[in-house]
Amino acid sequence: MELDTFLQQLVNGLTLGAFYGLIALGYTMVYGIIGMINFAHGDIYMIGAFVSLIGFLLFSTLGVASVPLAILMVLALAMFFTAVYGWAVERIAYRPLRGSPRLAPLISAIGMSILLQNYVQIVQGARVKPLQPMVEGTYTLNLADGAHVTVSLLQVVIIALTVTLMAGFTFMIRRTPLGRAQRATEQDMTMAGLLGVNVNRTISITFVIGASLAAVAGMMATLYYGVIDFYIGFIAGIKAFTAAVLGGIGSLPGAMLGGLVIGMIEAFWPVFFDLEYRDVAVFGLLVLVLIFRPTGLLGRPEIEKV
C-alpha cells in the first residue's frame, strides 16, 4: 500500500470511528449502569440527524448566514430534543420493567426501536432527505513523488469535536458528583440508594447524556454524508453496538476504541477486498470477539456476587 493511500484511509477511518464511538458510548453507559442493551439508541441517533436537518433548514430560512453559528445552534437544538427522547424512552419503556427478567426490557427495547423508526417514517416520509454541503474547504498534505493526502475541514471538525467531548465526558465521570453517583449506581444500585444517591435520577441523566452524544453523531453524519433517511439508525446502531462489545461493553474507553477499530476496518477494507463484504468483516470480527474474548478488548469479567 502506498503511503498516501494509507494516510488517506487513516483519516477516513478516524472520522468513521468518531461516529461509531460517540454512539457506542450511549450503549455502554446504559449497559454499565443498569445492565441492559438499549436497542433504541441507534434510533435516537437517527432522530438527532433529522432534528439537525430540520434545524439547518429552519435557520437558513430565518436568514442565519454564519455557518459556525448555525452549527452551534443546531447542535444545541438536536441535543435538547434527543435528550427529551432519551428521557422519555427510559421513563416509558425501561423504568417500569426494572427488576423484571432480562428478556422483558430486551423486548421492550426492540419494540421502542421499531416504534421510533415508524414514527419518523410517518412524520418525515420514507424518502431520503438531502442537505447541501455547508462546511467546505480542504487541507492538502503534499508527500514525496507528487503524492498528497486531502483532509476536509469537516473531518477536522468531527475529530476535534469527538476528542473534546470524550475528554469532557471522562472528566465528568471521574471528577464530578454526577460521575460518582453513576459509578456508585453501576456497582450496587441498592447500596447507592441507601447512601443517598438518587438512583432514578442518575439513570435518567445517563440516558439523557447518551442521547445527547448520539445527537452530536447524528448532526455530524448529516453534515458529512449530506443525506439521511429513517433507516440510518438501524445500521449505525448495530455497528456502534458491535464497537461497544468489541471494546468491552460497560467500558467508556473501550467504546471509543471499538468505534475506532470499526472505523479503520471500514476504511481499509475496500483497499484490499470487495467493498460489498465490508459489513461482513465488521460483524465477523464481532463473532470472533464473542468467541475468543467475550469481555472485549478493555472489558472486565463480570463477577457474580454471593
Side-chain angles (χ1 to χ4, degrees):
M1 182 191 301
E2 300 291 338
L3 179 61
D4 57 334
T5 303
F6 171 78
L7 293 176
Q8 189 67 65
Q9 296 308 104
L10 182 66
V11 173
N12 295 337
L14 287 174
T15 308
L16 286 173
F19 289 134
Y20 295 135
L22 284 177
I23 306 172
L25 283 176
Y27 280 105
T28 208
M29 286 170 59
V30 169
Y31 183 85
I33 202 164
I34 60 175
M36 62 158 286
I37 306 296
N38 177 18
F39 280 111
H41 188 64
D43 300 286
I44 296 291
Y45 154 80
M46 176 266 294
I47 289 175
F50 270 91
V51 172
S52 301
L53 178 65
I54 294 170
F56 282 124
L57 296 177
L58 175 64
F59 290 126
S60 175
T61 305
L62 294 176
V64 178
S66 171
V67 173
L69 179 61
I71 290 176
L72 288 177
M73 291 193 297
V74 167
L75 184 61
L77 187 71
M79 292 177 73
F80 171 76
F81 274 99
T82 54
V84 172
Y85 276 98
W87 176 82
V89 165
E90 192 273 332
R91 289 300 301 267
I92 296 172
Y94 302 143
R95 185 179 296 187
L97 298 175
R98 200 179 300 161
S100 303
R102 289 195 174 191
L103 188 59
L106 179 64
I107 294 172
S108 180
I110 295 173
M112 184 56 67
S113 172
I114 296 172
L115 175 68
L116 291 176
Q117 272 188 37
N118 285 274
Y119 158 67
V120 173
Q121 184 183 10
I122 292 171
V123 173
Q124 294 293 325
R127 294 184 177 179
V128 296
K129 307 294 181 186
L131 177 70
Q132 295 297 321
M134 294 188 61
V135 181
E136 297 179 335
T138 58
Y139 303 99
T140 302
L141 174 63
N142 293 315
L143 304 175
D145 301 328
H148 64 274
V149 176
T150 302
V151 183
S152 70
L153 176 59
L154 185 55
Q155 286 178 313
V156 175
V157 171
I158 289 171
I159 294 171
L161 184 59
T162 301
V163 172
T164 304
L165 284 172
M166 189 64 194
F169 190 67
T170 302
F171 175 82
M172 185 201 76
I173 292 294
R174 294 183 176 178
R175 301 292 183 182
T176 67
L178 173 61
R180 286 192 289 273
Q182 287 178 312
R183 283 183 281 140
T185 304
E186 175 186 351
Q187 291 179 7
D188 193 323
M189 200 178 296
T190 303
M191 184 57 72
L194 291 174
L195 293 175
V197 174
N198 189 329
V199 173
N200 286 331
R201 186 176 65 184
T202 302
I203 293 174
S204 293
I205 292 175
T206 302
F207 272 81
V208 165
I209 294 173
S212 300
L213 292 174
V216 177
M219 189 201 72
M220 293 191 302
T222 304
L223 289 171
Y224 191 66
Y225 295 112
V227 60
I228 60 173
D229 61 47
F230 73 97
Y231 202 62
I232 61 171
F234 178 76
I235 300 298
I238 291 294
K239 290 183 179 177
F241 173 67
T242 302
V245 174
L246 175 63
I249 194 158
S251 166
L252 297 178
M256 188 55 70
L257 176 63
L260 290 175
V261 171
I262 298 294
M264 291 299 170
I265 291 173
E266 292 204 346
F268 281 96
W269 182 268
V271 178
F272 302 102
F273 307 102
D274 195 331
L275 176 64
E276 294 181 353
Y277 296 101
R278 184 175 61 180
D279 290 346
V280 175
V282 173
F283 297 125
L285 178 63
L286 173 62
V287 172
L288 291 176
V289 169
L290 289 175
I291 292 174
F292 296 106
R293 192 174 173 81
T295 58
L297 298 176
L298 301 181
R300 293 171 298 181
E302 190 171 340
I303 300 173
E304 293 288 340
K305 298 173 184 175
V306 295

